[in-house]
């Protein structure tokens, strides 16, 4: 798709509905081997937080496209010694074709994007995780043969994953329900943005009642209760989040064909029971695999 070439992906809200649907179709075509685009470019990975799936799936995606990656660990670059991000961005864009960034503040990602002339991809910030949601929607589409009329219920912390799910589901017309404890709801500005995108296409529901939110849902989704950078809050959050665990009782409220999703890594017996995570309705391993296919489609679209 011409319109995606050279673009940043800082927020899922940067995409038009047609662009997101195109990426899902492109990913599907690549996954089944119908097409195998080539792209001999170099992607930099600038990750200031830990990562298994995102780091490896971006790396393999570039190798499979015929390109390569350079892993820019903060501790082995001048970033870890405080070189300004604006300077780093203006240097890296003279070597690299694109940069995937995992960091804390969305403002740091924006600073990099503002100073780099190459495409910059959000590989997770405290605010959003758009690449994850490309894979999630691909998994949903594969499981149900389409996205029309589906309802996805996310139960847990109103965090980066919840924010990108709100925007992504709204873009493709999937009903999205978020159930989070009071005080941990998604940001109002993102909810309003999702409502504006969804308009009359689909519903956006924010609640603190996980049982009601789960009723009739086609997908139940959760994530850790304390994200990277919030480790010191983890113990205090446990009792507040206990009613928001995805377990057999919550799963029974959902549609009988419902699938269970988790971006991983999972904390068994916290946000999800081992029985549900490993149970027949879980699609978490397919979901993790789809990170590769979805990001390959994204990279091929912005780099060629
Ligand atoms: N889901 C996800 O982004 O995993 P990693 O933190 O391992 O990249
Ligand atoms: N919300 C989690 C997602 C990890 C993939 C975090 O930010 O740590």
């Amino acid at each position: 798709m011409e319109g995606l070439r050279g673009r940043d992906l800082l927020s899922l809200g940067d995409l038009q509905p047609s662009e997101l649907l195109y990426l899902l179709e492109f990913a599907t075509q690549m996954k089944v081997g119908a097409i195998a685009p080539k792209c001999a470019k170099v992607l930099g990975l600038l990750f200031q937080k830990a990562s298994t799936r995102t780091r490896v799936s971006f790396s393999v995606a570039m190798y499979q496209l015929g390109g390569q990656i350079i892993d820019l660990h903060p501790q082995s670059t001048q970033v870890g010694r405080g070189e300004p991000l604006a300077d780093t961005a203006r240097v890296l864009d003279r070597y690299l074709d694109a940069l995937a960034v995992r960091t804390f503040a969305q403002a740091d990602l924006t600073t990099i994007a503002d100073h780099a002339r190459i495409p910059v991809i959000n590989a997770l910030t405290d605010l959003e995780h758009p690449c994850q949601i490309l894979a999630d929607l691909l998994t949903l589409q594969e499981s149900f043969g389409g996205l029309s009329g589906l309802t996805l219920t996310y139960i847990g912390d109103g965090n980066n994953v919840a924010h990108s799910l709100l925007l992504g589901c709204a873009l493709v017309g999937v009903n999205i329900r978020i159930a989070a404890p009071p005080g941990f709801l998604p940001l109002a500005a993102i909810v309003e943005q999702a409502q504006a995108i969804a308009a009359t296409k689909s519903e956006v529901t924010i609640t603190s009642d996980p049982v009601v939110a789960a009723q009739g849902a086609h997908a139940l989704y959760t994530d850790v209760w304390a994200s990277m950078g919030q480790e010191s809050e983890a113990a205090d959050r446990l009792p507040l989040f206990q009613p928001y665990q995805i377990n057999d009782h919550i799963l029974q409220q959902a549609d009988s064909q419902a699938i269970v999703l988790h971006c991983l890594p999972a904390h068994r017996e916290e946000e999800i029971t081992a029985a549900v995570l490993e149970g027949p309705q879980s699609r978490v391993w397919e979901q993790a695999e789809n990170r590769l296919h979805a990001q390959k489609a994204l990279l091929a679209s912005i780099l060629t």
Side-chain angles (χ1 to χ4, degrees):
M1 182 178 260
E2 288 276 327
L4 288 168
R5 185 180 304 143
R7 288 254 301 273
D8 292 334
L9 181 63
L10 307 184
S11 161
L12 214 50
D14 294 345
L15 296 176
Q16 295 298 316
S18 60
E19 293 169 340
L20 179 48
L21 290 168
Y22 167 83
L23 287 173
L24 298 178
E25 178 57 26
F26 193 16
T28 302
Q29 295 294 316
M30 275 199 263
K31 183 173 179 178
V32 300
I35 49 173
K38 287 291 163 197
C39 164
K41 302 276 175 82
V42 183
L43 173 73
L45 301 181
L46 182 56
F47 281 26
Q48 296 181 300
K49 293 177 176 173
S51 170
T52 298
R53 279 144 289 269
T54 310
R55 180 191 302 284
V56 178
S57 56
F58 264 121
S59 304
V60 175
M62 281 310 289
Y63 293 133
Q64 290 187 356
L65 288 168
Q68 48 187 300
I69 63 107
I70 296 183
D71 205 341
L72 302 156
H73 295 282
Q75 294 318 316
S76 56
T77 60
Q78 301 288 4
V79 172
R81 296 179 59 247
E83 182 170 11
L85 291 173
D87 295 0
T88 303
R90 281 177 289 182
V91 171
L92 290 179
D93 82 354
R94 287 163 192 263
Y95 309 133
L96 300 169
D97 298 300
L99 188 59
V101 179
R102 172 169 285 205
T103 190
F104 294 86
Q106 185 80 9
D108 286 346
L109 178 72
T110 308
T111 297
I112 293 171
D114 285 347
H115 290 85
R117 293 162 299 179
I118 53 173
V120 174
I121 300 168
N122 181 347
L124 182 147
T125 60
D126 293 345
L127 188 68
E128 272 205 60
H129 196 2
C131 295
Q132 176 67 53
I133 278 57
L134 297 180
D136 302 342
L137 294 174
L138 183 58
T139 312
L140 198 60
Q141 183 169 278
E142 283 175 352
S143 300
F144 292 96
L147 293 170
S148 168
L150 297 180
T151 296
L152 184 148
T153 294
Y154 172 97
I155 299 177
D157 187 22
N159 61 14
N160 43 11
V161 169
H163 289 154
S164 292
L165 275 173
L166 275 163
L167 298 172
C169 289
L171 281 165
V172 298
V174 167
N175 300 313
I176 172 78
R177 301 178 189 156
I178 307 278
F184 298 91
L185 296 172
L187 287 178
I190 302 269
V191 175
E192 284 162 21
Q193 189 184 354
Q195 283 166 335
I197 293 168
T200 56
K201 287 201 308 272
S202 58
E203 291 171 11
V204 177
T205 308
I206 309 297
T207 176
S208 287
D209 188 333
V211 176
V212 170
Q215 279 167 11
H218 302 98
L220 295 183
Y221 193 129
T222 191
D223 182 16
V224 291
W225 289 340
S227 286
M228 290 181 279
Q230 298 172 331
E231 288 79 3
S232 65
E233 297 175 37
D236 290 344
R237 285 182 176 219
L238 277 178
L240 299 172
F241 278 81
Q242 205 57 52
Y244 297 84
Q245 181 187 68
I246 295 196
N247 50 31
D248 284 330
H249 173 64
I250 291 285
L251 188 53
Q252 277 161 17
Q253 314 302 314
D255 187 274
S256 60
Q257 303 298 311
I259 62 168
V260 174
L261 300 173
H262 191 311
C263 57
L264 305 176
H267 291 180
R268 287 167 174 78
E269 310 312 329
E270 289 189 17
E271 74 273 4
I272 189 164
T273 58
V276 173
L277 187 77
E278 305 286 359
Q281 287 166 274
S282 172
R283 294 290 177 278
V284 301
W285 314 116
E286 292 85 350
Q287 181 186 7
E289 178 189 330
N290 280 336
R291 298 294 306 275
L292 169 64
H293 306 298
Q295 284 156 210
K296 235 164 105 178
L298 176 68
L299 290 165
S301 299
I302 65 173
L303 287 171
T304 60

